Amino acid sequence: MTLLVEVPPPAPAPAAEVPPARRSAGRRLVGAAAPYLYLAPALALLVVWTYRPLLQAVQLSTLSWNLLPTSPATPVGAANFREVLTAPELGDAVGVTALFIVGLLPFTIVLPVVIALSARRVRGRARTLYQALVFAPMLVAPVASAAIWQWLLDPGSGAVNRVLGLQVNWLADPTAAQVAIIVVTGWHVLGFATLIVSAGLGGTDDEYAAAASVDGARPRQITWRITLPLLSPTLVFLTLMTILLSAQWSFPLVDTLTQGGPGDATTSIYYLLWEYGFRSFDAGHGAAAGLVFFVVFLAVAWVLVTLSDRLSFHDD
Amino acid sequence: MSTREKIGWGIGGVLIIVYCLFPIAWIVSLSFKSSSDISNGAFLPTIATDENYATILTGDAAELFLPALRNSFGICLIATALACLLSMFAAYAIARLDFPGKKLILSTALAVAIFPVISIVTPLFNLWREIGLYDTWIGLILPYLSLTLPISIWTLSAFFREIPWEMEQAAQVDGATPWQAFRKVIVPLAAPGVFTTAIIAFFLAWNDFVYGISLTSTSASRPVPAALGLFQGASQFESPTGPIAAAAVIVTIPVVVLVLIFQRRIVAGLTNGAVKG
């Protein structure tokens, strides 16, 4: 998520860094190399252990191989890509992913804004407590939260049906399962999104609201005309994260609650990819799908970042 | 604000808190229920029992759970320590030094943060088997570093930019040795940033699921989220719910304690990094 925010320019180097007039060539070389030496260990790790597997994925994607060291890997050219792009389940998975994204937006944008705005009306310790309570679900490991919800959603003795007075078999009915995955994922990410919105609110300048208030603006007008526009970079950032990461956030819950089912009702792109790689043990297929996903992901991220620069309202 | 509006906000706030906390309260309650009590649907256990905790800590499930707990702590702590150390160097260079190619290098490094993990996990699985890192601690520490380093570098450089580095020279002018200046002036100023980074990194590693289930196969390195997943997979029809609940409580406690201790600092860290950018 870090790529998406512009990295501000560095503070100017302190005056003491100015080199003395006479320095040996060797010393100057070390001086010029120093920043790179500081960065080298972290960068080396990232490049080797992230970009290298990605390159290997390119190689794997042209093979037909079941990942077993003993069985032969046959080169098949671009066949894997053709199969991935024409697979009927791909369209469904894209649809499910889109549904998750749309379903999660209320939990990552609307509710966090409401919570953060209402938290502003609370003062002092109660406010810290309120934020901490909303933040709590984020601390429950996703798999652990899947375990809780499995019981809350139980059609017989589950609390959800009893509290709402419903008779829904949440994880066995396709639509209900989709709703359940969205609500549980939303429960999990709500705290994080609220934290980001609160931080964004803290960063906006109160003077504009104060000035508008002096000019006779009503609280509602201030919220809609001043606070939310000032918050727009944060909201765009969250929208972007939701679009890019919905499938990733829901993955542990899908894997433990529904295994992509019933049918393919909760098989998102992310889950489909994981199935290619680790259920059907078709390495070539999985790698090709992974690369397609990666390229689409980068393209979407790039478009969103470009758009976000235009959509955001900056106060400077 | 009118009274009616106040009441509206109040009810909304309470509803949100219930939505957030109810499941957590439920699991704590489940973890104290006896096996006969679990499916009765009542919120409170009829008699509180510690049998679930006994099952996972000393009983049948201990073989699965305890090694996983040890692995998770070991792997996540090592990954966190390394991520902090490496990102301290990187963030220092980013915040204090100016050099050609800085922006390009930074974006290449940070692009990793939005990498879909799933795209590289299959090749990584294959690579690990070839070089013998599959199902080892190092085999998880390395991917956890690539998971945590980008955000660590980012958070920490935001902190480091705020440090008044001139004070180091001021201290030296006042007669401190360079080491004293570093230890007495710079370290205390940098500590909050390093703490925040450590907690965020630990949190990311501790909650990882995909690497955990894909790159391990035995209790030699399987972390808790993966082990918990196994608890559940095996229990599709006859759930050992009580033990799962107890395990979930135990897994969540370290993170909750960390966050409660450092809550303000985490918020400050995210503010510096994420939004003010």
Side-chain angles (χ1 to χ4, degrees):
Chain A
M1 66 194 207
T2 44
L3 173 76
L4 314 171
V5 175
E6 239 353 75
V7 177
E17 300 277 317
V18 175
R22 284 190 347 166
R23 277 215 311 204
S24 73
R27 276 208 148 186
R28 233 179 301 143
L29 197 68
V30 171
Y36 302 102
L37 291 178
Y38 278 115
L39 284 169
L43 284 184
L45 263 167
L46 288 176
V47 168
V48 171
W49 303 118
T50 310
Y51 286 93
R52 184 173 156 196
L54 200 70
L55 281 182
Q56 238 209 346
V58 176
Q59 189 202 345
L60 275 177
S61 68
T62 62
L63 303 174
S64 172
W65 185 35
N66 63 3
L67 278 175
L68 289 178
T70 47
S71 71
T74 338
V76 292
N80 282 325
F81 287 97
R82 261 199 305 279
E83 277 171 41
V84 165
L85 290 173
T86 54
E89 65 262 32
L90 184 73
D92 292 342
V94 170
V96 170
T97 311
L99 184 78
F100 283 180
I101 292 170
V102 173
L104 276 174
L105 281 173
F107 294 95
T108 53
I109 308 282
V110 182
L111 271 181
V113 169
V114 172
I115 295 172
L117 283 178
S118 65
R120 291 225 293 186
R121 289 156 203 262
V122 187
R123 294 270 154 241
R125 288 197 161 232
R127 181 167 165 180
T128 317
L129 184 71
Y130 184 48
Q131 282 175 340
L133 292 180
V134 173
F135 192 57
M138 182 182 146
L139 308 178
V140 182
V143 188
S145 71
I148 314 173
W149 283 92
Q150 198 158 36
W151 280 87
L152 290 172
L153 294 169
D154 188 79
S157 60
V160 172
N161 272 349
R162 285 149 46 102
V163 169
L164 299 177
L166 296 173
Q167 287 280 308
V168 181
N169 196 348
W170 287 100
L171 301 177
D173 174 72
T175 316
Q178 289 168 343
V179 172
I181 293 291
I182 289 170
V183 173
V184 177
T185 310
W187 175 76
H188 203 251
V189 297
L190 182 65
F192 177 71
T194 308
L195 192 71
I196 302 271
V197 173
S198 306
L201 274 179
T204 58
D205 206 331
D206 287 338
E207 279 173 30
Y208 295 101
S213 175
V214 168
D215 289 349
R218 288 190 302 276
R220 186 170 305 230
Q221 283 178 314
I222 293 180
T223 302
W224 282 102
R225 298 274 178 85
I226 293 178
T227 311
L228 288 182
L230 283 176
L231 202 56
S232 60
T234 309
L235 300 182
V236 168
F237 173 71
L238 276 172
T239 313
L240 215 137
M241 300 241 329
T242 312
I243 293 173
L244 294 177
L245 298 176
S246 278
Q248 190 162 330
W249 287 335
S250 59
F251 175 78
L253 299 162
V254 170
D255 189 50
T256 38
L257 284 176
T258 63
Q259 288 84 45
D264 281 330
T266 55
T267 303
S268 67
I269 289 280
Y270 210 81
Y271 194 74
L272 187 71
L273 282 185
W274 192 78
E275 277 193 326
Y276 278 153
F278 289 92
R279 284 275 156 80
S280 19
F281 282 100
D282 188 342
H285 222 109
L291 284 177
V292 171
F293 188 52
F294 175 68
V295 170
V296 172
F297 207 85
L298 271 192
V300 171
W302 186 77
V303 169
L304 287 175
V305 170
T306 316
L307 268 183
S308 74
D309 278 345
R310 297 205 188 151
L311 288 177
S312 302
F313 175 87
H314 295 285
D315 68 341
D316 46 28
Chain B
M1 193 165 42
S2 70
T3 321
R4 187 189 287 181
E5 265 184 70
K6 262 186 194 161
I7 293 173
W9 281 111
I11 292 174
V14 169
L15 279 181
I16 286 164
I17 288 175
V18 168
Y19 172 59
C20 290
L21 288 192
F22 182 67
I24 296 177
W26 194 269
I27 197 142
V28 173
S29 146
L30 266 184
S31 73
F32 289 108
K33 281 183 167 187
S34 65
S35 47
S36 59
D37 223 10
I38 272 172
S39 56
N40 71 1
F43 177 67
L44 288 175
T46 5
I47 305 161
T49 163
D50 62 353
E51 71 182 54
N52 298 315
Y53 290 93
T55 312
I56 55 165
L57 294 178
T58 54
D60 300 338
E63 260 170 67
L64 193 60
F65 185 68
L66 288 182
L69 203 58
R70 188 196 62 212
N71 292 333
S72 263
F73 265 112
I75 292 169
C76 293
L77 285 177
I78 294 173
T80 305
L82 284 175
C84 281
L85 189 70
L86 295 177
S87 56
M88 253 152 48
F89 286 122
Y92 178 81
I94 291 164
R96 264 202 103 185
L97 309 173
D98 206 7
F99 50 94
K102 182 159 158 174
K103 207 162 182 182
L104 177 75
I105 291 175
L106 259 184
S107 8
T108 319
L110 298 184
V112 174
I114 60 153
F115 258 44
V117 167
I118 206 82
S119 293
I120 58 166
V121 74
T122 316
L124 210 53
F125 167 76
N126 191 38
L127 186 66
W128 270 195
R129 272 190 336 191
E130 275 171 21
I131 59 179
L133 286 182
Y134 180 65
D135 201 21
T136 61
W137 276 29
I138 299 175
L140 275 185
I141 290 172
L142 287 173
Y144 284 1
L145 280 176
S146 54
L147 201 67
T148 54
L149 266 178
I151 202 162
S152 305
I153 294 175
W154 184 48
T155 317
L156 208 53
S157 43
F159 268 105
F160 278 8
R161 265 193 295 269
E162 303 292 316
I163 292 181
W165 294 96
E166 320 80 69
M167 284 176 65
E168 193 180 13
Q169 275 129 32
Q172 288 185 41
V173 170
D174 288 349
T177 64
W179 171 242
Q180 276 176 327
F182 175 75
R183 202 169 53 92
K184 298 242 165 102
V185 178
I186 295 304
V187 169
L189 286 171
V194 178
F195 269 123
T196 308
T197 308
I199 287 163
I200 294 172
F202 185 82
F203 170 74
L204 281 176
W206 185 253
N207 275 349
D208 158 75
F209 183 61
V210 177
Y211 285 128
I213 53 172
S214 312
L215 302 178
T216 66
S217 61
T218 67
S219 57
S221 69
R222 186 188 291 125
V224 172
L228 224 53
L230 284 187
F231 263 46
Q232 269 170 288
S235 58
Q236 196 64 350
F237 299 103
E238 200 184 323
S239 264
T241 308
I244 292 176
V249 171
I250 292 182
V251 172
T252 310
I253 286 174
V255 192
V256 173
V257 169
L258 275 178
V259 168
L260 284 182
I261 296 175
F262 296 106
Q263 197 210 1
R264 271 159 195 272
R265 287 181 172 164
I266 294 180
V267 176
L270 283 173
T271 318
N272 284 342
V275 184
K276 289 182 180 163

